Amino acid sequence: MTPHGAVGALILITGAALIAAGALWKGRAVRPLAPRRARAVAWRAYARALTRSAELAIASARDAAGRGEPAIVTVEDVIRLADERFGYEKIAHEDAAAALRQAYERADCAADCVTDAYSSIQ
């Protein structure tokens, strides 16, 4: 075998090894390997989806309210939006209510909105 042939074979083998390693490790950088970190990432995604669902529920209720009428935002609206938009089928009612309360206070909705999120505090 000539030196050029040996170098070519070495490059070919190295490339094949890198491709095989890439196929095995694909996606691992996004998903944490440690179960505790994976649960923390999942919880942050869940909380972010609930917060966004609450904000969307407030915005859509404000759009649907007539002139001079208060916007009515329910916890069920937040749960429905979390299911429709983010794919969370099972949402704890307490979690959705907490997210709605935070969004309600952050958006200063006391002037023009009504919600049932405070009636579920125990």
Side-chain angles (χ1 to χ4, degrees):
M1 182 181 268
T2 66
H4 293 292
V7 171
L10 182 62
I11 290 174
L12 184 66
I13 291 171
T14 304
L18 287 174
I19 290 172
L24 289 175
W25 288 94
K26 179 182 175 187
R28 295 250 173 127
V30 175
R31 292 175 289 158
L33 295 177
R36 188 173 69 175
R37 285 184 42 217
R39 282 190 299 274
V41 168
W43 176 256
R44 284 194 301 270
Y46 175 76
R48 194 171 35 251
L50 280 180
T51 300
R52 185 68 182 131
S53 297
E55 292 168 352
L56 287 170
I58 290 171
S60 63
R62 282 180 168 167
D63 289 343
R67 186 175 173 96
E69 294 179 355
I72 300 171
V73 187
T74 65
V75 175
E76 293 303 319
D77 293 337
V78 175
I79 292 172
R80 180 182 48 81
L81 283 170
D83 181 24
E84 289 175 1
R85 299 275 180 134
F86 301 101
Y88 287 100
E89 294 176 0
K90 295 184 180 181
I91 300 285
H93 190 270
E94 296 80 22
D95 294 341
L100 182 55
R101 283 191 299 270
Q102 289 175 353
Y104 186 86
E105 292 167 2
R106 194 172 38 253
D108 196 27
C109 291
D112 64 342
C113 297
V114 177
T115 186
D116 64 345
Y118 291 97
S119 63
S120 59
I121 297 176
Q122 297 175 3

